[in-house]
Amino acid sequence: MKVKVKKINDFTRALTVTVKWEDLKDDFSKEYSKAKKSYQIAGFRKGKVPDHIVEKDLGPGIEAKFAEDSINKYYMESLIKNELNPINKAEIKDLSFNKGDQLVFTAEFEIQPEVVLPKYNKINIQTTRYMGQKEDVKNALDDLRQKNANVRTIEGKIKSGYFIRGDFQQLDESGLPIINKITKDQYIRLGMKPFSGTSEKPFIGAKAGDTIRTSFDLNDKSVAYEIKINKVEEEALPDLDDEFAKTLDPKVSSLKEFKDNLNQKIQEQLDSDHKQQINNEIINYFVKNIKLKVPTSMKEKYTQFLMDDFKNKNPKQPVDEKEFKKNYDQISENNIKWFLAKDRLINEMKISINDNDVEKKIKDFIKDNKDMQGDIKKFYSEDKNKKKLKEDLINEKLFNSLNKFVTNKVSEKSTDELRKKKSSDTDIRMGKGK
């Protein structure tokens, strides 16, 4: 067997394999005998059909099957001989074989490319660390009060902030009901978009059982409705005092202590987000600077994985597959670059986690959450969850090691600025920006 390896690009190889007839004839004879033994036609017993008839009737099929089996055999031998590990199914080209002649074929396939890491002894990045403000604590407390609120039915006049349950009938431009454009028992809150400002005025002063007409913006278009008010409710928020704080956390003795703890947790979360931002910038550094061409098959498989995952999570949402692949092409390429770079880094930096490390982490989880001990043990009794934890610990160890080489220019900003930015982004999406 002769093998010629051709490098088409960084990740594509073509093997041209030539096998002499002398090396094939014994296996071919076995294949021929096997076919003849099972062949039967009128006038001849099974296995007793003359050779010239067998060759005439079965010859092309025998040669085709033998060629297919031989390709698989000599392709695998060629890969082992040349220490090549394909990452996709080979495309067979230029096949040539007839009884008595040599077998020649070319197998083209992709291999995992060589990963050349950029220098990482000095990684310069820029990040923003947000500092919590009083407004964060206030918003968190408001959210907790709403979650613990009681709802009571209102018989009297409606005020802003009340909850309305009603039948919404869409109207045409002349004010007539549009057939099949009614939503029964819709639940809304007055004072919140889109039922605020002029849109909520027709509700104010009305009662359950009344019918009102109003309009509000829907997809940048004003839509008119006739609404039959079925039920009116008011949210009764708990008083913000020491007793309420104790119901939320029995360990605290006062509202002030609860606020202090809440403020600390908010900052811890902000710092956790900042840590993730640093890790993302490290990833971006390697993705941007790594010398690597991503194999087509790897990118196609990963994009298909993303699309399948999206479909599973959004079964009712139609997907334009062509558009999806186009939009996620660069995302797939960047993710694959990081996966390959990460594997190389883990080997190069000798990052490892053993089973004892995993068990210790699980014990730490239980220690910090004693009331959930049973759930934690049950969760990590599954191999897939324990495997995921091990991967997380390896990633954590890797980033901790890489952080030693990071020079980070940190800009500290208040969460007030973050809220302004989010509000500005929302206005732009709604067409209110410049």
Side-chain angles (χ1 to χ4, degrees):
M1 178 181 69
K2 291 183 179 179
V3 182
K4 181 181 179 183
V5 182
K6 181 180 179 182
K7 179 180 178 181
I8 296 176
N9 55 39
D10 288 347
F11 53 81
T12 307
R13 299 291 183 271
L15 284 181
T16 299
V17 180
T18 303
V19 186
K20 295 179 179 179
W21 172 248
E22 285 74 15
D23 297 326
L24 298 170
K25 61 182 180 181
D26 289 344
D27 288 337
F28 186 85
S29 294
K30 291 177 183 178
E31 186 67 35
Y32 178 85
S33 297
K34 181 180 176 182
K36 179 182 178 180
K37 189 176 181 180
S38 61
Y39 191 49
Q40 182 179 8
I41 59 174
F44 298 96
R45 286 181 295 161
K46 186 177 181 180
K48 299 299 181 179
V49 180
D51 287 342
H52 71 279
I53 298 178
V54 173
E55 289 187 13
K56 178 183 176 183
D57 294 351
L58 303 182
I62 294 172
E63 290 182 4
K65 185 178 185 307
F66 178 77
E68 181 180 353
D69 293 343
S70 298
I71 287 171
N72 293 331
K73 175 184 176 181
Y74 292 106
Y75 172 58
M76 293 304 300
E77 288 184 7
S78 300
L79 293 176
I80 294 170
K81 182 179 179 180
N82 290 276
E83 298 182 346
L84 294 169
N85 295 302
I87 59 173
N88 67 332
K89 186 177 180 180
E91 180 183 358
I92 304 300
K93 300 179 177 180
D94 304 325
L95 170 62
S96 174
F97 174 72
N98 289 297
K99 179 183 176 182
D101 292 334
Q102 62 184 5
L103 170 70
V104 181
F105 66 91
T106 297
E108 189 173 303
F109 53 88
E110 293 180 351
I111 60 171
Q112 185 165 304
E114 181 183 359
V115 179
V116 180
L117 292 172
K119 292 181 179 179
Y120 55 89
N121 58 333
K122 188 175 182 181
I123 303 173
N124 295 315
I125 64 172
Q126 293 184 7
T127 60
T128 301
R129 182 187 181 216
Y130 286 99
M131 309 302 294
Q133 305 296 308
K134 291 181 179 179
E135 184 72 13
D136 299 305
V137 176
K138 178 183 178 301
N139 291 341
L141 287 171
D142 288 344
D143 185 53
L144 288 169
R145 289 179 75 197
Q146 286 185 348
K147 288 179 179 178
N148 290 273
N150 293 315
V151 176
R152 64 186 182 93
T153 301
I154 300 295
E155 303 295 341
K157 295 181 179 180
I158 294 172
K159 297 179 181 179
S160 180
Y162 282 2
F163 291 87
I164 306 295
R165 194 179 292 277
D167 300 334
F168 284 61
Q169 171 64 63
Q170 188 173 339
L171 307 174
D172 62 18
E173 293 180 357
S174 63
L176 294 175
I178 302 175
I179 297 174
N180 295 328
K181 286 289 186 178
I182 184 170
T183 304
K184 294 280 189 177
D185 219 28
Q186 179 76 13
Y187 199 58
I188 65 166
R189 183 176 186 178
L190 298 179
M192 296 185 69
K193 293 179 180 179
F195 300 98
S196 59
T198 57
S199 296
E200 76 166 341
K201 283 183 179 180
F203 289 96
I204 306 303
K207 298 179 180 179
D210 291 347
T211 299
I212 62 100
R213 290 194 172 198
T214 188
S215 61
F216 56 90
D217 290 338
L218 186 66
N219 297 326
D220 298 327
K221 182 181 178 181
S222 181
V223 182
Y225 281 88
E226 181 177 83
I227 303 167
K228 182 180 181 299
I229 303 170
N230 297 328
K231 191 175 184 179
V232 182
E233 294 177 335
E234 179 187 21
E235 191 178 59
L237 298 174
D239 293 332
L240 193 57
D241 54 20
D242 292 345
E243 292 305 313
F244 177 58
K246 291 176 185 178
T247 62
L248 296 172
D249 184 359
K251 295 179 182 179
V252 303
S253 59
S254 66
L255 177 62
K256 182 182 182 305
E257 185 181 357
F258 183 81
K259 285 183 176 180
D260 290 341
N261 291 346
L262 192 58
N263 184 60
Q264 182 179 339
K265 289 179 181 178
I266 290 170
Q267 190 57 54
E268 286 174 355
Q269 182 58 54
L270 290 169
D271 288 343
S272 176
D273 293 342
H274 181 240
K275 183 179 179 180
Q276 185 58 53
Q277 186 187 163
I278 293 172
N279 291 347
N280 288 340
E281 287 302 315
I282 292 173
I283 291 173
N284 290 338
Y285 172 82
F286 283 96
V287 169
K288 183 179 178 181
N289 295 288
I290 193 171
K291 294 180 180 179
L292 173 69
K293 289 185 179 180
V294 176
T296 305
S297 62
M298 291 183 78
K299 187 157 59 173
E300 287 176 349
K301 287 178 182 177
Y302 190 78
T303 304
Q304 186 65 47
F305 163 77
L306 293 178
M307 185 163 62
D308 291 343
D309 184 59
F310 181 86
K311 288 179 178 179
N312 289 334
K313 292 178 179 177
N314 306 275
K316 295 182 180 180
Q317 185 171 338
V319 178
D320 184 331
E321 295 192 3
K322 186 176 180 181
E323 190 67 20
F324 186 98
K325 290 177 180 179
K326 177 182 176 183
N327 293 336
Y328 280 83
D329 182 78
Q330 191 61 51
I331 294 173
S332 297
E333 180 166 325
N334 290 346
N335 282 341
I336 292 168
K337 281 184 176 181
W338 169 242
F339 294 151
L340 295 174
K342 183 174 71 171
D343 285 345
R344 181 66 183 272
L345 284 165
I346 288 171
N347 290 327
E348 196 170 282
M349 301 178 78
K350 295 180 172 59
I351 304 293
S352 65
I353 293 291
N354 57 43
D355 292 340
N356 290 334
D357 297 325
V358 176
E359 293 300 328
K360 183 179 181 303
K361 190 65 176 179
I362 294 173
K363 288 179 181 179
D364 290 342
F365 288 151
I366 294 173
K367 183 180 178 181
D368 295 337
N369 303 274
K370 292 180 180 178
D371 55 331
M372 297 179 66
Q373 179 174 338
D375 292 334
I376 294 172
K377 285 185 176 180
K378 182 179 179 181
F379 182 78
Y380 286 111
S381 66
E382 295 186 29
D383 289 339
K384 65 176 183 178
N385 296 328
K386 193 172 285 188
K387 182 180 178 182
K388 177 64 168 61
L389 176 59
K390 187 173 184 178
E391 290 173 359
D392 291 342
L393 291 175
I394 289 174
N395 286 337
E396 182 180 3
K397 195 170 183 178
L398 172 63
F399 282 114
N400 287 340
S401 298
L402 288 172
N403 261 285
K404 298 173 184 177
F405 307 114
V406 170
T407 299
N408 186 12
K409 185 177 180 181
V410 182
S411 171
E412 288 194 355
K413 294 183 179 181
S414 72
T415 49
D416 293 335
E417 294 181 68
L418 182 60
R419 274 184 287 276
K420 288 178 183 177
K421 182 178 184 301
K422 288 182 178 179
S423 177
S424 175
D425 291 344
T426 301
D427 288 343
I428 291 172
R429 286 197 298 271
M430 295 179 67
K432 297 180 180 180
K434 292 183 179 180

